[in-house]
Amino acid sequence: QVQFVESGGGLVQPGGSLRLSCRGPRMITSVFNPLLMGWYRQVPGKGRELVASITPDRLTNYGDSVKGRFTISRDNSRKTVYLQMSDLKPEDAAVYYCNALTSSRQPTYGWGQGTQVTVSS
């Protein structure tokens, strides 16, 4: 069952920034707040790559390819997780998705439609 709605993607030049949002509109806060949340990305022909995650206590983890450039955060009152992306590179272009993660870091729910990020001059 799909629980999250992603937004904020678009076309940006190399070196630019974007802020993605992931909302859980059907969730109640008591369900959302304890969730381990993650941002994934996928390019055509490849599987989804987990790029960032955030615990309920706001501990964060990043993939090596985005470390130092991306920042994940959450606003529990809004049932929303954000991904601030800076210094974007052409290889960051992908469809970005969010999902809750199990304790073994596997996606929990069905996938939403994602949000497209294009990095091009």
Side-chain angles (χ1 to χ4, degrees):
Q1 186 179 8
V2 177
Q3 294 288 349
F4 300 104
V5 179
E6 301 92 349
S7 63
L11 172 64
V12 63
Q13 293 185 343
S17 299
L18 278 175
R19 188 197 199 200
L20 307 183
S21 297
C22 162
R23 295 185 304 113
R26 289 196 291 268
M27 285 198 164
I28 58 176
T29 55
S30 61
V31 171
F32 180 84
N33 291 356
L35 292 177
L36 170 64
M37 293 293 300
W39 278 99
Y40 295 76
R41 66 186 181 189
Q42 185 175 28
V43 298
K46 293 192 175 182
R48 286 186 180 90
E49 171 194 11
L50 179 62
V51 296
S53 62
I54 185 166
T55 70
D57 295 330
R58 295 178 169 81
L59 296 176
T60 59
N61 188 267
Y62 299 94
D64 288 342
S65 61
V66 307
K67 203 170 292 184
R69 299 187 299 120
F70 290 11
T71 302
I72 188 171
S73 61
R74 65 193 295 161
D75 182 340
N76 287 342
S77 66
R78 299 177 185 269
K79 298 175 290 182
T80 299
V81 178
Y82 302 99
L83 187 68
Q84 178 68 48
M85 305 186 296
S86 303
D87 190 23
L88 282 161
K89 305 176 186 300
E91 53 264 39
D92 294 318
V95 180
Y96 283 72
Y97 303 87
C98 69
N99 211 327
L101 305 176
T102 66
S103 57
S104 57
R105 303 181 73 79
Q106 296 300 308
T108 302
Y109 299 106
W111 296 103
Q113 64 181 14
T115 186
Q116 176 73 53
V117 171
T118 304
V119 184
S120 175
S121 54

